[in-house]
């Protein structure tokens, strides 16, 4: 079996984690190619990554002028991989992830032969909170989206209060999400079959968050095959890049809350347009 796997890694001001991620791929999946997309970092992180891998032709770089967000940035990397590498699989992983399994590629091909999947969710082991992030709860209908928007509005009073009990309630409400079991966006593996169906692997339109909900929308609309394989493991240093963007916990929550609200409204517009 000839491995033809491409990893798409989005970097934003975080060369340390990106270098760890790429090194793990080259060690445990040495025949794979990696596309690093720098999402308009405007610091020296891209230069550090290029210097680290300057003599390795398995690594490809795409430098974006501005931060396009998660979906659009990864779509650029996937399009580059499609045109230059034509892979069997697109492994779109957060840059704060890494692998440590020499059988990674073999397991991936075996799972495809078994299930003929469009998109695969591996075990995503959160090394910060020590749990598997897959499956994740995703929105599955317009009713789910409307309920999520209502809850999002309710969270405002907790988010902008400085009482500790408010933070506890805020976290409790977020963890009890509405929806069904779906794929977590920290590590997604798209087959060539899926890439042949969609010019953009991620539904365009959101900057951050709700990418999984839009994948679920496609899954239902086009009767796609989504699968899990927890024998394939990806380790995740959760929220490392977000912590780079917002230094304090409170600022991080407020940033997330704002972006989630924008994305939820976009998802609602997608469902309304489909109807």
């Amino acid at each position: 079996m000839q491995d033809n796997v491409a990893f798409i890694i989005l970097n934003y001001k975080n060369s340390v984690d990106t270098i760890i991620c790429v090194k793990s791929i080259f060690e445990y999946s040495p025949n794979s190619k990696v596309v690093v997309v720098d999402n308009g970092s405007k610091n020296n992180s891209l230069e550090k990554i290029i210097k680290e891998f300057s003599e390795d032709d398995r690594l490809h770089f795409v430098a974006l002028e501005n931060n396009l967000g998660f979906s659009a940035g990864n779509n650029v990397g996937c399009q580059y991989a499609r045109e230059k590498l034509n892979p069997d699989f697109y492994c779109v992983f957060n840059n704060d992830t890494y692998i440590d399994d020499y059988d990674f590629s073999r397991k991936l091909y075996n799972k495809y032969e078994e299930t003929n999947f469009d998109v695969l969710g591996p075990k995503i082991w959160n090394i910060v909170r020590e749990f598997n992030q897959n499956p994740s709860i995703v929105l599955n209908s317009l009713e789910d989206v409307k309920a999520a928007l209502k809850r999002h509005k309710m969270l405002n009073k907790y988010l902008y209060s400085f009482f500790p009990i408010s933070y506890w309630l805020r976290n409790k409400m977020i963890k009890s999400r509405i929806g069904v079991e779906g794929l977590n966006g920290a590590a997604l593996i798209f087959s060539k079959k899926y890439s042949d169906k969609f010019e953009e692997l991620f539904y365009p339109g959101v900057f951050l968050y709700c990418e999984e909900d839009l994948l679920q929308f496609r899954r239902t609309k086009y009767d796609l095959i989504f699968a899990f394989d927890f024998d394939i493991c990806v380790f995740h240093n959760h929220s490392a890049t977000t912590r780079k963007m917002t230094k304090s916990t409170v600022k991080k929550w407020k940033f997330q809350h704002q972006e989630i609200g924008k994305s939820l409204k976009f998802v609602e517009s997608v469902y309304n347009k489909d109807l």
Side-chain angles (χ1 to χ4, degrees):
M1 177 187 68
Q2 180 63 45
D3 291 355
N4 186 15
V5 180
F7 288 79
I8 290 80
I9 310 297
L10 195 63
N11 176 73
Y12 182 72
K13 296 184 177 180
N14 190 2
S15 59
V16 173
D17 284 320
T18 300
I19 289 171
I20 291 171
C21 177
V22 175
K23 281 185 173 180
S24 77
I25 294 166
F26 286 161
E27 178 175 356
Y28 293 102
S29 187
N31 294 323
S32 297
K33 306 291 186 181
V34 178
V35 179
V36 169
V37 180
D38 184 72
N39 213 1
S41 294
K42 292 184 169 56
N43 64 359
N44 62 349
S45 64
L46 179 59
E47 287 74 13
K48 289 180 179 178
I49 299 166
I50 293 174
K51 183 178 179 181
E52 183 72 30
F53 300 101
S54 59
E55 298 181 2
D56 199 322
D57 61 5
R58 293 173 295 177
L59 189 61
H60 300 250
F61 298 98
V62 179
L64 301 178
E65 184 65 26
N66 299 303
N67 186 350
L68 301 183
F70 182 89
S71 294
N74 277 313
N75 279 340
V76 171
C78 292
Q79 183 62 29
Y80 177 96
R82 189 205 310 263
E83 294 175 356
K84 304 292 186 181
L85 307 174
N86 190 28
D88 296 328
F89 302 103
Y90 301 74
C91 298
V92 184
F93 289 3
N94 283 12
N95 71 323
D96 53 4
T97 63
Y98 60 91
I99 61 174
D100 71 348
D101 184 354
Y102 288 109
D103 286 332
F104 182 92
S105 294
R106 179 186 62 80
K107 291 177 180 178
L108 183 52
Y109 277 90
N110 288 345
K111 190 65 176 181
Y112 184 75
E113 289 181 8
E114 175 191 337
T115 64
N116 196 36
F117 66 80
D118 287 287
V119 191
L120 179 68
K123 178 179 181 180
I124 304 174
W125 186 252
N126 187 313
I127 65 173
V128 177
R129 300 177 185 172
E130 298 188 327
F131 76 103
N132 181 12
Q133 292 178 232
N134 258 328
S136 184
I137 302 302
V138 296
L139 304 173
N140 193 48
S141 65
L142 179 59
E143 290 71 24
D144 284 354
V145 178
K146 289 183 179 296
L149 278 166
K150 183 177 180 180
R151 286 158 59 87
H152 183 269
K153 185 177 181 180
M154 290 172 59
L155 283 171
N156 279 321
K157 62 182 178 183
Y158 300 124
L159 188 65
Y160 291 95
S161 169
F162 289 96
F163 295 105
I165 186 65
S166 296
Y167 294 142
W168 178 81
L169 286 170
R170 179 256 182 200
N171 280 336
K172 187 175 180 64
M173 287 182 70
I174 281 194
K175 288 176 182 177
S176 57
R177 280 200 73 192
I178 299 161
V180 299
E181 289 187 345
L183 298 168
N184 186 286
L188 292 162
I189 301 171
F190 299 90
S191 68
K192 189 176 187 300
K193 179 164 73 85
Y194 176 92
S195 71
D196 288 342
K197 295 175 183 175
F198 301 101
E199 183 176 350
E200 294 179 292
L201 270 64
F202 288 91
Y203 200 110
V206 292
F207 184 76
L208 282 175
Y209 306 111
C210 294
E211 299 88 5
E212 301 100 328
D213 304 308
L214 290 167
L215 274 178
Q216 181 68 16
F217 171 80
R218 277 185 174 175
R219 177 188 186 180
T220 303
K221 182 176 177 63
Y222 299 102
D223 196 25
L224 304 177
I225 299 172
F226 283 16
F228 294 98
D229 189 339
F230 296 157
D231 195 34
I232 299 174
C233 186
V234 178
F235 295 89
H236 186 203
N237 182 16
H238 184 62
S239 294
T241 297
T242 307
R243 290 195 295 270
K244 296 278 185 181
M245 298 170 68
T246 53
K247 299 299 182 181
S248 74
T249 300
V250 174
K251 286 182 179 179
K252 184 184 79 170
W253 283 352
K254 290 180 179 180
F255 172 79
Q256 289 174 330
H257 188 71
Q258 181 182 32
E259 293 302 324
I260 289 170
K262 293 177 185 176
S263 297
L264 283 172
K265 289 177 182 177
F266 178 80
V267 177
E268 182 183 36
S269 73
V270 169
Y271 272 98
N272 281 326
K273 183 178 178 181
D274 188 61
L275 291 174

